[in-house]
Amino acid sequence: MVLFWKTAVNPWRLLIFPLDKSPTEGASPNSIFNGCPSYSFIRKIIRVTTSLLNQLSALVGQSFAKCDLDPSFGKVVISQRRELGQFQCNGALGAAKKAKKNPREIAETIVTELENTGLFRDLSLAGPGFINMRLNDDFLIKHIEMISNDPAFGATDSHKAETVVLDFGGPNVAKAMHVGHLRATIIGESLRRLHVFLGDKVISDVHFGDWGLPMGMLIKEIELAKPDLPYFDEGNSGPFPADSPVSVDELQLLYPAASGRSKEDAEFLETAREATFKLQQGHAGYRALWQHMLDVSVSETKIDFDLLGAHFTEWKGEADTNDHMPVMLERFKEEGLSELSEGAVVVHVAQDTDKKEMPPLILQKSDGAVMYGTTDLATIEMREQDHKPDTILYVVDGRQSLHFEQVFRAARKGHSISNAAKLEHVGFGTVNGKDGKPLKTRDGGVVRLRSLIEDAIEEARKVVVEAGLNDRFDADELENIATKVGVAAIKYADLSNPRMSNYIFDLERFTKFEGRTGPYQMYAAVRIKSMLRKADEQGLAHGPLVLTADAERNLMLALSLLPEAVLAAADKNAPNLLCDHVYALTQEFNSFYHDCHVLGEKDEAVRASRLTLCAMTLRQIETVLHILGIDVPERM
Ligand code: ARG
């Protein structure tokens, strides 16, 4: 079978069959797949029509299949040694081992097969049987045009849209958000944007911590400070004052005070427990006071979330489960899923295969109070009712993994959610100080999220002045740029690490305008923007792509890898893969810009093509930075 490329639209559509037909249905042109054990493998990869690597893998796989070899050996990767080729396939080695044949002979046969496709400019063999490939320029151009005509660069073609609930942010009433919430917010928001980009239905819920013992502690602490407030009159059923009796600043002092008192004073702790229970049971005064605490806390955290560009479709909290909780507790009891253990209601979640001890999930303590796990379990049931999610992702500190494992097991045991739905704890490591230990203030206290953001913006102000930007921009624009640079710095630094790794918070490094930093990626985009603006001013037209230099080819190859980056990032909940992609892109762009004239190019067709390539690159960099939550200013 000879595969010819004839169409100007999407050449691969000719090669890539049978898109939806099974091989036994009708006359399928790829009879080579019939009876082939790895047919399902090929079917899987050829569906992904817009990923160049998958297309090539499918094609090379066909050649392996023709030689009665497993097509999965046709896996093609981008070549790390561009002087040898753009792509490589090392499958001949594995195939030879399996078939007990000579790898070089197999590779030679595959190369002959591939030559017949007419799609390659260059095919060569290296070492014991590595196949190096260079695509025809026309094909590369068509491919890049095709993905660039798609708003998502072809990344969504193979993605089946899902309903995804993202639980992230997770602030607590009265406690200022701290460094731990930084990662939850930054990673969570980028996953939210990633799923929106993929076309999923995304529900983002902040899941406020607003229903545990800290609430009772605060109520009692406020009572000690202001005993005359109407909230403490037993029997007063309201209405209560519309204004909050405590400001957010007061609350933030009251919380550590209450927490300290609870540790020292057992009696106080007991009254706090009672107050928590009464609050949960609907005590009118406590509820009214609690609502004020919640409202001022929500307004305060909105400032942090706005600074970080985080969006929530739901501002729910643990307390929203209060009405559902008794229903759930009753059902668990009825169905024999929960049991009494030393007065507490628990769900056993240990399994025979457990290597570590798996304690039961406590639903209700002996005093009747519900726990963090109870609210999380009830939240799963409510999310199932409200949204029927395919996936719920919890972007929460990795140190809470035991908690989530217990909750998820209880949810499975109690059929709280459809069996098919995925529940996943997307954990992350800690942000450390230069001493390698979790970041603390100088006096050993908790570092507030706001101060981290402010410090980053402050550092960015210094950096933009050092870069001479203050000569070119007025104060407002300079401040806008510094804010964007500061936020980009902490976001990129956070997201570029594999999320389970800890990292050291080092603003000086994060704000540098070179290397793997947010400000640098952002600056690369701004430079392209300003070049395109200049081209516009000079009336220079964009035109069809032509290829004249390797730097252009390499840039196109980098552009072609977006679908892989996006899909792998979503699959592994790994925004760092998007950071890697955008970094590779800006690097290739630099080489291109170094090797190729754009505005100064004399040949009109070449210049027009390069302008098109610049515009495509800019759009892709901005798209990825947007997913990472990084805003690019118009100028800097
Ligand atoms: N409020 C919690 C904390 O500060 C995080 C909540 C995470 N989400 C959840 N569904 N448990 O640690």
Side-chain angles (χ1 to χ4, degrees):
M1 176 182 53
V2 184
L3 306 165
F4 282 114
W5 161 44
K6 296 195 193 104
T7 167
V9 188
N10 173 7
W12 290 105
R13 301 243 186 254
L14 274 189
L15 300 172
I16 294 160
F17 36 44
L19 286 171
D20 2 76
K21 282 202 170 126
S22 85
T24 46
E25 266 175 67
S28 157
N30 61 329
S31 49
I32 51 161
F33 291 140
N34 292 345
C36 165
S38 289
Y39 175 73
S40 64
F41 167 79
I42 286 285
R43 259 184 84 85
K44 210 162 106 191
I45 55 176
I46 54 186
R47 281 230 182 86
V48 187
T49 54
T50 43
S51 151
L52 190 53
L53 287 181
N54 286 343
Q55 292 170 352
L56 290 173
S57 299
L59 178 74
V60 180
Q62 285 180 21
S63 303
F64 273 91
K66 270 186 147 185
C67 310
D68 283 333
L69 296 165
D70 189 326
S72 66
F73 287 118
K75 187 173 160 47
V76 170
V77 295
I78 198 99
S79 175
Q80 294 311 317
R81 294 181 59 191
R82 284 296 152 80
E83 69 282 7
L84 297 179
Q86 296 166 331
F87 302 96
Q88 68 188 69
C89 170
N90 303 340
L93 279 72
K97 207 167 162 198
K98 205 167 161 200
K100 301 201 171 48
K101 286 187 179 160
N102 178 333
R104 212 159 156 110
E105 263 166 40
I106 292 183
E108 271 162 15
T109 321
I110 302 293
V111 165
T112 312
E113 284 288 333
L114 293 176
E115 270 163 359
N116 288 339
T117 66
L119 290 170
F120 298 93
R121 187 157 65 99
D122 180 29
L123 286 156
S124 64
L125 280 187
F130 303 121
I131 304 170
N132 294 314
M133 295 161 252
R134 275 198 188 89
L135 282 174
N136 272 345
D137 283 348
D138 283 353
F139 176 72
L140 188 57
I141 287 175
K142 287 286 178 305
H143 182 82
I144 293 303
E145 283 174 347
M146 178 185 74
I147 63 167
S148 292
N149 283 334
D150 182 71
F153 299 97
T156 56
D157 275 26
S158 64
H159 178 76
K160 194 172 151 281
E162 293 198 323
T163 300
V164 180
V165 173
L166 265 155
D167 180 316
F168 70 98
N172 301 304
V173 163
K175 291 192 245 179
M177 285 214 279
H178 57 75
V179 52
H181 297 115
L182 179 78
R183 299 208 72 184
T185 305
I186 293 179
I187 299 171
E189 176 62 18
S190 97
L191 293 178
R192 187 191 72 79
R193 291 177 185 220
L194 177 58
H195 284 281
V196 169
F197 177 77
L198 283 170
D200 290 332
K201 181 173 174 215
V202 186
I203 295 110
S204 50
D205 182 4
V206 74
H207 199 77
F208 237 91
D210 59 4
W211 214 227
L213 182 59
M215 300 305 109
M217 286 165 24
L218 279 161
I219 290 171
K220 285 291 149 185
E221 191 66 28
I222 296 173
E223 187 173 8
L224 282 179
K226 307 180 183 182
D228 298 334
L229 290 174
Y231 309 96
F232 310 115
D233 278 352
E234 290 303 324
N236 184 350
S237 58
F240 295 97
D243 290 332
S244 175
V246 280
S247 68
V248 71
D249 292 336
E250 283 172 302
L251 266 185
Q252 285 171 14
L253 295 175
L254 284 162
Y255 182 73
S259 155
R261 202 186 299 282
S262 302
K263 283 185 194 120
E264 284 155 18
D265 181 346
E267 212 172 296
F268 176 80
L269 182 62
E270 195 42 44
T271 59
R273 284 221 167 90
E274 270 164 34
T276 309
F277 187 66
K278 282 188 185 166
L279 169 74
Q280 294 178 353
Q281 296 302 308
H283 183 288
Y286 290 177
R287 280 287 178 99
L289 180 56
W290 168 85
Q291 190 64 52
H292 282 307
M293 296 195 286
L294 179 62
D295 291 346
V296 294
S297 303
V298 166
S299 319
E300 181 65 11
T301 57
K302 278 191 173 161
I303 300 173
D304 292 318
F305 287 134
D306 282 350
L307 274 168
L308 290 175
H311 300 280
F312 296 96
T313 59
E314 293 190 348
W315 282 84
K316 296 208 168 146
E318 298 163 352
D320 287 289
T321 60
N322 203 49
D323 293 344
H324 182 69
M325 214 110 62
V327 184
M328 179 183 83
L329 290 172
E330 188 53 34
R331 185 175 70 83
F332 268 71
K333 192 169 127 196
E334 288 269 282
E335 295 180 13
L337 302 164
S338 62
E339 52 200 85
L340 276 174
S341 164
E342 293 167 34
V345 181
V346 303
V347 183
H348 286 289
V349 290
Q351 290 163 2
D352 295 343
T353 47
D354 285 337
K355 298 211 167 59
K356 278 187 297 193
E357 197 202 329
M358 180 58 64
L361 181 75
I362 305 175
L363 292 184
Q364 212 169 11
K365 288 195 299 184
S366 48
D367 62 7
V370 293
M371 312 278 287
Y372 184 43
T374 331
T375 50
D376 261 329
L377 188 59
T379 304
I380 292 181
E381 301 202 341
M382 293 172 74
R383 286 176 178 158
E384 174 72 358
Q385 280 168 15
D386 294 348
H387 308 294
K388 297 238 164 304
D390 297 295
T391 302
I392 308 182
L393 299 176
Y394 295 82
V395 187
V396 186
D397 195 319
R399 290 170 291 188
Q400 293 193 24
S401 66
L402 177 66
H403 163 79
F404 285 106
E405 187 57 36
Q406 290 174 302
V407 170
F408 296 166
R409 286 188 186 192
R412 296 293 178 205
K413 190 169 178 179
H415 299 286
S416 301
I417 188 161
S418 135
N419 272 338
K422 272 191 291 183
L423 295 168
E424 199 171 339
H425 173 206
V426 181
F428 49 78
T430 57
V431 181
N432 294 344
K434 289 192 179 143
D435 59 359
K437 301 205 184 95
L439 198 65
K440 290 261 154 47
T441 56
R442 232 165 264 177
D443 52 9
V446 181
V447 182
R448 286 183 59 170
L449 178 61
R450 184 82 50 81
S451 74
L452 284 180
I453 305 172
E454 278 165 0
D455 289 353
I457 296 174
E458 183 53 37
E459 186 69 25
R461 280 192 197 106
K462 271 194 250 160
V463 173
V464 296
V465 169
E466 271 160 27
L469 266 66
N470 51 333
D471 297 338
R472 295 193 286 127
F473 300 110
D474 65 27
D476 281 353
E477 194 165 354
L478 199 65
E479 184 58 18
N480 174 33
I481 294 171
T483 305
K484 289 194 161 126
V485 168
V487 172
I490 45 180
K491 285 195 173 184
Y492 193 89
D494 190 301
L495 295 170
S496 57
N497 290 290
R499 68 181 154 72
M500 286 311 289
S501 314
N502 306 335
Y503 71 88
I504 291 175
F505 196 82
D506 179 355
L507 282 177
E508 214 175 300
R509 191 162 61 79
F510 298 171
T511 50
K512 281 207 160 53
F513 275 111
E514 59 196 37
R516 285 182 189 267
T517 70
Y520 178 67
Q521 314 307 312
M522 182 173 168
Y523 176 62
V526 174
R527 254 186 2 175
I528 308 178
K529 268 193 196 188
S530 84
M531 190 224 304
L532 290 171
R533 230 183 350 250
K534 246 186 232 152
D536 254 7
E537 283 158 17
Q538 295 172 18
L540 303 178
H542 297 209
L545 292 174
V546 291
L547 272 170
T548 59
D550 267 342
E552 295 166 323
R553 292 183 185 94
N554 287 338
L555 179 55
M556 288 189 189
L557 290 178
L559 285 165
S560 81
L561 294 175
L562 181 102
E564 272 82 15
V566 163
L567 294 172
D571 186 45
K572 303 189 172 80
N573 301 305
N576 61 305
L577 300 176
L578 292 172
C579 294
D580 292 347
H581 178 73
V582 79
Y583 179 71
L585 208 53
T586 55
Q587 291 299 97
E588 290 299 358
F589 184 82
N590 282 349
S591 308
F592 156 78
Y593 199 62
H594 177 265
D595 290 4
C596 302
H597 294 292
V598 182
L599 298 181
E601 172 59 42
K602 298 278 177 310
D603 185 316
E604 212 178 303
V606 173
R607 185 181 62 224
S609 155
R610 289 182 181 163
L611 284 170
T612 301
L613 191 55
C614 290
M616 285 174 179
T617 308
L618 173 64
R619 182 164 80 84
Q620 200 176 101
I621 295 178
E622 279 196 292
T623 301
V624 179
L625 289 180
H626 174 77
I627 297 176
L628 297 173
I630 295 175
D631 267 355
V632 180
E634 273 315 295
R635 317 184 294 168
M636 66 191 272

